[in-house]
Amino acid sequence: MRVFGYIRVSTNVYFNEADSMVEVCTYNTALKKRLTEFAGKYPSECRLIDDDGNGCLSFEVSKGRFGFKLTAPYDESRRKAASELAKKNTERLRRQE
């Protein structure tokens, strides 16, 4: 098996109870854009601390501004209901030309 390329797509989050800031290191383009915009609007809450030149940006974010959400997996009936709803509403997802 040949490997022709390697794209690193990951996000790492570092924090501890003693610090008031969370460090977010990410290759995710959408997250980098959101964090860059947030840092521009709220420099006291978020700032760019490193650009490794290889696509990874690192930010410090105030703990009170950063969060993540855990959700339980859908059971089979909920997964099926969500699928059916999505199938019924596909017209809304198509571009109007």
Side-chain angles (χ1 to χ4, degrees), residues 10-75:
S10 66
T11 298
N12 296 311
V13 179
Y14 304 99
F15 65 95
N16 63 44
E17 275 57 356
D19 293 335
S20 63
M21 302 298 274
V22 173
E23 184 176 334
V24 180
C25 307
T26 187
Y27 289 88
N28 180 292
T29 302
L31 182 56
K32 288 189 295 188
K33 287 179 181 180
R34 289 174 55 205
L35 286 167
T36 299
E37 183 179 326
F38 190 82
K41 287 182 180 178
Y42 309 102
S44 64
E45 302 293 327
C46 179
R47 69 185 183 100
L48 177 66
I49 57 172
D50 189 34
D51 179 346
D52 74 354
N54 293 315
C56 183
L57 296 181
S58 297
F59 295 84
E60 275 188 343
V61 183
S62 177
K63 272 188 183 173
R65 302 292 163 225
F66 182 82
F68 58 92
K69 179 180 174 183
L70 296 174
T71 57
Y74 287 176
D75 62 23

